[in-house]
Amino acid sequence: NAGVTQTPKFQVLKTGQSMTLQCAQDMNHEYMSWYRQDPGMGLRLIHYSVGAGITDQGEVPNGYNVSRSTTEDFPLRLLSAAPSQTSVYFCASSSYHRGVNEQFFGPGTRLTVL
Amino acid sequence: AQSVTQLDSQVPVFEEAPVELRCNYSSSVSVYLFWYVQYPNQGLQLLLKYLSGSTLVESINGFEAEFNKSQTSFHLRKPSVHISDTAEYFCAVSVSGNQFYFGTGTSLTVIP
């Protein structure tokens, strides 16, 4: 299994540009989530999904959209990038219906907004 | 919402010395507790977890953590650290098993 994959690994955007961060998992996990990691702030939940067709907001959802059309994919869209969105973004997945399991994290996407 | 407090942002320790990384959480209800480790330029990896049962949990590389309900703590310990333990460590809490709340992290630096 490849586990959780994220693309791209690095991205530089200009203010106002839009883009999509890709996340895919091949473990048939129901639960997927997006976090951003900023120095001194740990990981903060942006959006999460408990299954295909179901998404919900986390702690810091503003400026981001998600969709979950398949179990495998959970893309994160930045609608109009702002410098405050400069961060490292992690996607994670876990098996939800079998109770609490560990979250498996992708390698991250380092985003810089100029 | 839950809150997770890791009071020590940076912990330097000499090789082969013991270390304790502190974690406190806010919930008064049953929780699931986790420690994750992040090596430079990598994603997070699960180190150990407490779901139920014995309050002392161990990892395969010598770390252990003890769940203390009365003090709402889940401190991480290792009796003798190695250079390879240098990393960022995150404590996390989940109440429902659905949403996870992370602490701000502790940077452990092992000094030769």
Side-chain angles (χ1 to χ4, degrees):
Chain A
N1 288 346
V4 181
T5 58
Q6 291 183 239
T7 56
K9 290 188 177 179
F10 301 95
Q11 183 69 50
V12 179
L13 293 177
K14 294 181 179 178
T15 297
Q17 286 185 313
S18 63
M19 79 158 295
T20 300
L21 308 186
Q22 301 291 344
C23 174
Q25 53 94 6
D26 60 0
M27 297 173 282
N28 201 32
H29 284 167
E30 300 91 346
Y31 181 81
M32 297 185 73
S33 53
W34 276 102
Y35 295 88
R36 58 177 289 172
Q37 183 180 28
D38 302 292
M41 302 189 75
L43 277 77
R44 292 181 292 169
L45 182 65
I46 304 172
H47 286 284
Y48 67 97
S49 168
V50 299
I54 306 169
T55 64
D56 206 346
Q57 296 181 350
E59 183 184 358
V60 288
N62 292 341
Y64 308 95
N65 273 358
V66 292
S67 60
R68 186 91 179 272
S69 57
T70 67
T71 299
E72 295 78 17
D73 300 300
F74 191 44
L76 178 72
R77 297 182 186 85
L78 279 70
L79 308 174
S80 177
S84 61
Q85 294 178 305
T86 293
S87 187
V88 182
Y89 291 85
F90 288 100
C91 179
S93 75
S94 65
S95 180
Y96 175 69
H97 290 300
R98 289 200 292 272
V100 180
N101 281 318
E102 66 175 287
Q103 288 197 87
F104 292 84
F105 284 84
T109 294
R110 189 174 295 273
L111 176 67
T112 301
V113 183
L114 303 175
Chain B
Q2 296 295 309
S3 69
V4 180
T5 302
Q6 291 182 248
L7 287 173
D8 307 304
S9 60
Q10 295 186 357
V11 174
V13 62
F14 286 104
E15 192 174 15
E16 298 184 2
V19 70
E20 178 180 81
L21 308 183
R22 295 180 292 170
C23 173
N24 289 88
Y25 61 94
S26 63
S27 176
S28 60
V29 299
S30 296
V31 296
Y32 307 108
L33 298 160
F34 306 81
W35 275 100
Y36 283 83
V37 58
Q38 183 182 31
Y39 299 104
N41 299 313
Q42 295 186 25
L44 278 71
Q45 304 171 32
L46 181 69
L47 190 60
L48 47 76
K49 61 185 176 184
Y50 169 79
L51 303 182
S52 63
S54 174
T55 57
L56 185 66
V57 291
E58 298 177 354
S59 73
I60 59 173
N61 57 352
F63 283 94
E64 64 178 30
E66 186 161 18
F67 167 54
N68 188 319
K69 187 175 182 179
S70 63
Q71 297 185 4
T72 59
S73 68
F74 192 55
H75 302 330
L76 182 69
R77 303 183 185 93
K78 189 170 185 179
S80 175
V81 295
H82 303 290
I83 296 292
S84 59
D85 293 325
T86 293
E88 189 92 15
Y89 292 81
F90 291 93
C91 182
V93 168
S94 178
V95 175
S96 64
N98 198 348
Q99 290 198 40
F100 288 73
Y101 299 88
F102 286 82
T104 53
T106 297
S107 177
L108 173 66
T109 301
V110 180
I111 305 165

